[in-house]
Amino acid sequence: MVTMTAHDKRGFDFARWGLPALLILMLVCNVAFWTQARHARTTWGNVPPVPSERGATMAMLGDAQMGYRVYGLMLQNLGDIGGRTTNLAQYDYTALKNWFFLEDKLDSTSNFIPALAAYYYGATTKHEDLTPVIDYLEVIGQRPEPQKWRWLAQAVFLSRYTQNDLVRSFDLATKLANLSTPDMPAWTRQMPAFIMVARGEKEAAYDMLMGMLQKDGEKMDPSEIRLIRDWICDKTLTAAQAATHPLCTSIPGE
């Protein structure tokens, strides 16, 4: 007759044998999955499609300001996925321009998106991609609200010094100079003359700068007068002309 011990009556001890076996099995499965998936990486599908203004607002339960902020943060962090960053040269700037204008429809007074377009996306090394950014800044910069002119000035800078497009930059500079915004400094009125000098149109630049001094010289800050004087004497006139020009032998405003 076979006698059963207390251990035999208890049966299989799961806590002693089953749990460690289960943990070992999970570890083996985890290692197997890692060996197959360790080379897989998240991929970025570039700039997402732009919704309509109505769709963008409805997605935020009708709150346009919430939409402006949510989409703005999305644009700020776009391309930064999986612990990696994306070079600005890889972005679809035409699609970005559409996002910029959508944001403008949601909030036309905020300067967050113009600043993001000008100073962040404007830093791309693929200079031809700057055209959509310049197009956007040109529109925003002609708004009558205070300080909006800064974005048109930034468009002039990107066109002139980054793209080296003297035709487009002169057109933008002329629009900037013709704005009637009262808080604009004097140098914004001088931008067309600066580009004229770069284009070789020194006589026209001279006439424009001298006209500014004659018309608004009494209202200008001395530093602004010195700036105009330097452009006339050092970059517009020849050395011989500057030596005999009365403006170049004295500093107006002092």
Side-chain angles (χ1 to χ4, degrees):
M1 180 176 170
V2 180
T3 1
M4 298 183 63
T5 64
H7 178 72
D8 295 329
K9 292 179 180 178
R10 197 166 52 238
F12 180 70
D13 191 344
F14 179 80
R16 184 176 180 183
W17 304 108
L19 186 58
L22 181 60
L23 292 175
I24 293 173
L25 178 63
M26 291 175 63
L27 179 61
V28 170
C29 291
N30 194 7
V31 171
F33 177 79
W34 175 80
T35 57
Q36 297 298 316
R38 63 194 177 98
H39 296 297
R41 294 291 185 272
T42 55
T43 57
W44 180 52
N46 217 306
V47 181
V50 183
S52 65
E53 179 185 0
R54 183 178 181 183
T57 306
M58 289 179 62
M60 300 297 158
L61 304 178
D63 191 338
Q65 282 298 313
M66 180 179 177
Y68 182 85
R69 287 160 172 76
V70 169
Y71 296 131
L73 287 174
M74 182 269 291
L75 290 173
Q76 179 179 324
N77 298 288
L78 195 63
D80 298 340
I81 57 172
R84 293 171 297 154
T85 58
T86 304
N87 193 305
L88 290 175
Q90 299 177 23
Y91 286 69
D92 182 350
Y93 270 67
T94 301
L96 281 174
K97 172 184 168 182
N98 295 332
W99 275 104
F100 297 155
F101 279 114
L102 170 65
E103 288 284 71
D104 182 61
K105 293 177 181 178
L106 298 177
D107 189 338
S108 60
T109 59
S110 172
N111 285 315
F112 172 64
I113 296 300
L116 190 66
Y119 301 123
Y120 178 65
Y121 288 108
T124 179
T125 55
K126 197 175 178 182
H127 296 164
E128 60 270 23
D129 281 349
L130 286 174
T131 300
V133 174
I134 294 172
D135 293 341
Y136 166 72
L137 295 176
E138 177 184 3
V139 173
I140 302 303
Q142 296 184 74
R143 300 276 172 79
E145 291 86 2
Q147 298 297 315
K148 289 294 184 182
W149 59 265
R150 295 182 300 157
W151 308 122
L152 184 53
Q154 185 66 17
V156 176
F157 173 82
L158 291 174
S159 180
R160 166 65 183 90
Y161 293 103
T162 305
Q163 289 192 325
N164 200 27
D165 187 342
L166 296 178
V167 176
R168 178 78 188 278
S169 60
F170 178 75
D171 177 64
L172 294 169
T174 302
K175 291 180 179 179
L176 176 64
N178 291 335
L179 291 178
S180 56
T181 309
D183 65 337
M184 289 171 52
W187 61 263
T188 58
R189 314 291 183 189
Q190 304 157 16
M191 291 294 288
F194 299 160
I195 298 174
M196 283 180 181
V197 172
R199 292 169 62 172
E201 302 171 4
K202 294 188 176 182
E203 291 185 7
Y206 170 81
D207 292 339
M208 179 178 290
L209 293 172
M210 287 300 298
M212 290 178 183
L213 285 178
Q214 293 167 1
K215 181 182 178 181
D216 302 317
E218 295 182 356
K219 298 181 291 185
M220 289 183 181
D221 186 90
S223 61
E224 294 175 331
I225 297 176
R226 292 191 190 96
L227 175 64
I228 295 180
R229 174 186 177 274
D230 290 343
W231 272 87
I232 292 176
C233 299
D234 299 337
K235 299 184 180 181
T236 305
L237 299 176
T238 64
Q241 291 172 331
T244 59
H245 198 289
L247 179 65
C248 303
T249 57
S250 62
I251 301 179
E254 287 194 341

